Amino acid sequence: MVESMDVSEIPDSRTAAAALLAYYADLGVEVGSSEMGIDRFAESEAAAAARAPAPQSRPEPSQSPAPARPAPAAPAMTNEMAAATAGEAKTLDELKDALSRFDGCALSKTATNLCFASGNPEAKLMFVGEAPGREEDLQGEPFVGRAGQLLDKMLAAIGRDRTSCYIANVIYWRPPGNRNPNPEELVACRPFINKQIELVDPDVLVFLGGVPAKEMLSTTDGILKLRGRWRDFDTGKRTIPAIATLHPAYLLRQPAQKKLAWKDFRAIRDKLA
Ligand code: URA
């Protein structure tokens, strides 16, 4: 059951209250005169089961079935080149420029656009997702597709929007067919996302989904084990509180898990307060 929440806890604009109600509605919970939300998960799951077969459109990142493939050996040279290139950047613009010239990640050859960031570089809250999908590749901006729309609702429910957060990915170019990024691609991009976090220097860092959580926390644990717990992320310059939560694309497939994400988002809101 999703815990009910006093709307007065949310920043006091009507927009935020409306956004919270929209997010509740999206969760399948009604907020009315009763204090307790009505759990509609059972209903929505039954309805989902009764629906026509899943659409044949390509899955968002994290939804791909990820065909098993042997991991290539870690390309130490690429990582060194990337670290040297990223290390020279003094600003986010310089980092973006360096990435646009970097040819150490094969994904840059097949992608339409580099997806560097969305949102406000001055924000105290930074999200790190997985990799661009089709929409992101076309628009050159992270989280503008369906997963991004859900992320916007989740942000609105804690009184935020893209002007008060900054969003990047551990992978800067779309993997073909939205497959999961392979270890070689993660290794090539890693120095850039490390540097991006250092330059943005947020007060709270959130990893969206298993791929970024495992990569950035250097663990093989699954997201359901990793999520919801505060850890220290060391940028080399500063230690930043970091938390992993469920990826919005996963929540689109598993709406009943939104209650866990909502818990994590409340923890994020409280940490920032
Ligand atoms: N999913 C991600 O992880 N990142 C995006 O930019 C879009 C979808």
Side-chain angles (χ1 to χ4, degrees):
M1 167 83 63
V2 174
E3 290 172 41
S4 66
M5 182 180 180
D6 184 349
V7 170
S8 64
E9 288 173 48
I10 298 280
D12 54 0
S13 77
R14 284 183 189 190
T15 320
L20 177 61
L21 289 172
Y23 181 58
Y24 270 162
D26 202 53
L27 285 170
V29 173
E30 284 180 357
V31 195
S33 50
S34 120
E35 277 287 290
M36 301 292 289
I38 299 166
D39 191 336
R40 296 288 189 208
F41 286 149
E43 283 176 22
S44 63
E45 278 165 17
R51 270 202 295 274
Q56 293 304 301
S57 62
R58 283 184 178 164
E60 297 253 5
S62 295
Q63 292 182 271
S64 55
R69 49 179 292 187
M77 285 287 283
T78 306
N79 186 256
E80 272 174 34
M81 272 167 44
T85 309
E88 280 169 17
K90 303 272 180 296
T91 64
L92 289 167
D93 283 346
E94 284 180 16
L95 188 67
K96 184 176 180 184
D97 195 51
L99 256 176
S100 67
R101 284 181 283 104
F102 179 65
D103 65 359
C105 178
L107 294 174
S108 67
K109 316 272 188 300
T110 50
T112 311
N113 281 302
L114 163 71
C115 288
F116 184 66
S118 170
N120 181 356
E122 306 289 323
K124 293 186 183 313
L125 173 61
M126 176 170 178
F127 292 92
V128 178
E130 181 180 325
R134 190 170 62 91
E135 275 308 309
E136 288 78 16
D137 181 49
L138 292 175
Q139 296 188 38
E141 189 178 330
F143 283 96
V144 291
R146 280 187 69 220
Q149 285 158 20
L150 178 56
L151 180 60
D152 285 339
K153 285 187 193 168
M154 295 160 83
L155 282 171
I158 57 165
R160 289 188 175 254
D161 60 21
R162 297 209 183 198
T163 65
S164 52
C165 73
Y166 183 83
I167 309 174
N169 285 311
V170 286
I171 295 287
Y172 294 91
W173 298 272
R174 182 193 186 201
N178 292 349
R179 65 163 169 73
N180 285 353
N182 66 37
E184 193 176 359
E185 293 152 0
L186 286 162
V187 162
C189 291
R190 178 69 193 260
F192 292 95
I193 185 64
N194 282 349
K195 188 72 184 183
Q196 200 167 1
I197 294 169
E198 182 197 312
L199 289 170
V200 174
D201 196 25
D203 288 345
V204 169
L205 194 50
V206 182
F207 304 126
L208 289 171
V211 170
K214 288 182 200 179
E215 174 62 25
M216 302 309 290
L217 298 171
S218 305
T219 174
T220 53
D221 286 346
I223 185 64
L224 290 172
K225 186 163 179 202
L226 291 174
R227 60 147 287 277
R229 224 159 21 100
W230 288 104
R231 294 148 206 276
D232 287 340
F233 183 85
D234 187 3
T235 67
K237 296 256 162 70
R238 183 179 161 222
T239 299
I240 299 174
I243 193 169
T245 189
L246 303 173
H247 194 288
Y250 169 77
L251 296 175
L252 288 169
R253 285 187 301 132
Q254 303 285 341
Q257 298 287 57
K258 286 180 185 172
K259 59 183 182 293
L260 296 178
W262 177 228
K263 223 176 179 179
D264 299 341
F265 267 65
R266 280 185 299 143
I268 294 162
R269 179 199 61 198
D270 293 348
K271 191 65 131 187
L272 286 160

